[in-house]
């Protein structure tokens, strides 16, 4: 994610700036995966935020399964986001930081997340804004029951939601 201090940019500017600047501006949209911004740069011009997000999603869908799995594994996951004090809240993360969770709640999230990682091979990813911690905990429990293929798709859908929030934060 670009640092919060980074200036917002217009879609018109993104369409016309040099490829390197485009990639630099959008490198954090997909967690730890700036190569998706490189690929999206070639799809310009974009007429809307929806179209730009669609380009990111299309590139993820076109990527080989091993690359999509690496993308999921690169994500810190929800537990890391709520148990590591942020320097600033970033889009896609919960506003429920470590102070908002009681020690027993942190322990429960960590226990379930460990089981999730063991079962699926990647962290529990959820676009958490505006969701109370109880709803996120319920989603984690429910998603632990999913077949692996369904959960792989669900996690990628959550990545897309997070990307949308990040794009909305960055684009004027």
């Amino acid at each position: 994610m670009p640092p919060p201090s980074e200036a917002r940019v217009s879609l018109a500017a993104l369409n016309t700036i040099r490829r390197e600047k485009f990639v630099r501006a959008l490198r954090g949209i997909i967690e730890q995966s700036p190569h998706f911004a490189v690929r999206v740069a070639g799809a310009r011009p974009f007429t809307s935020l929806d179209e730009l997000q669609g380009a990111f999603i299309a590139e993820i869908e076109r990527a080989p399964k091993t690359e999509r799995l690496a993308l999921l594994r690169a994500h810190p996951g929800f537990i890391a986001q709520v148990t590591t004090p942020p320097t600033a809240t970033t889009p896609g993360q919960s506003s429920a930081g470590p102070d908002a969770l009681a020690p027993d709640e942190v322990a429960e999230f960590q226990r379930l997340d460990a089981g999730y990682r063991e079962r699926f091979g990647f962290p529990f990813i959820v676009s958490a804004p505006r969701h109370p911690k109880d709803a996120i905990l319920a989603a984690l429990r429910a998603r632990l029951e999913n077949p692996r293929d369904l959960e792989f798709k669900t996690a990628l859908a959550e990545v897309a939601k997070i990307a949308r929030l990040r794009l909305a934060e960055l684009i004027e």
Side-chain angles (χ1 to χ4, degrees):
M1 176 75 203
S5 62
E6 193 166 305
R8 292 173 53 98
V9 62
S10 72
L11 198 54
L14 281 176
N15 284 331
T16 58
I17 60 176
R18 290 188 2 213
R19 182 181 191 94
E20 296 78 24
K21 288 182 89 172
F22 177 94
V23 170
R24 194 173 325 120
L26 300 180
R27 71 184 177 273
I29 298 302
I30 305 297
E31 198 75 44
Q32 306 286 328
S33 302
H35 53 281
F36 286 108
V38 171
R39 295 174 192 163
V40 167
R44 292 184 286 173
F46 300 106
T47 60
S48 68
L49 188 61
D50 288 339
E51 191 177 339
L52 177 57
Q53 180 197 18
F56 272 101
I57 292 168
E59 288 302 332
I60 291 169
E61 289 172 350
R62 272 195 283 275
K65 188 169 185 175
T66 54
E67 188 175 348
R68 287 179 281 147
L69 179 59
L71 178 157
L72 295 178
R73 288 179 174 162
H75 201 283
F78 175 76
I79 284 303
Q81 293 171 343
V82 296
T83 59
T84 304
T87 54
T89 301
T90 55
Q93 292 183 352
S94 173
S95 58
D99 295 335
L101 296 176
D104 61 322
E105 292 171 323
V106 171
E108 178 73 355
F109 270 113
Q110 289 174 328
R111 181 185 67 75
L112 290 170
D113 186 62
Y116 183 98
R117 285 175 186 265
E118 185 172 317
R119 177 164 162 71
F120 298 115
F122 50 86
F124 175 68
I125 301 168
V126 64
S127 176
R130 298 178 301 277
H131 294 297
K133 61 187 171 189
D134 293 341
I136 295 168
L137 186 58
L140 174 52
R141 286 184 179 128
R143 286 173 53 188
L144 264 165
E145 302 301 318
N146 283 344
R148 189 170 195 288
D149 285 347
L150 175 58
E151 191 52 30
F152 187 80
K153 290 176 186 174
T154 301
L156 287 171
E158 291 299 312
V159 167
K161 291 176 190 175
I162 293 166
R164 174 57 180 221
L165 292 171
R166 290 175 176 175
L167 285 168
E169 182 76 14
L170 181 66
I171 307 298
E172 290 179 343

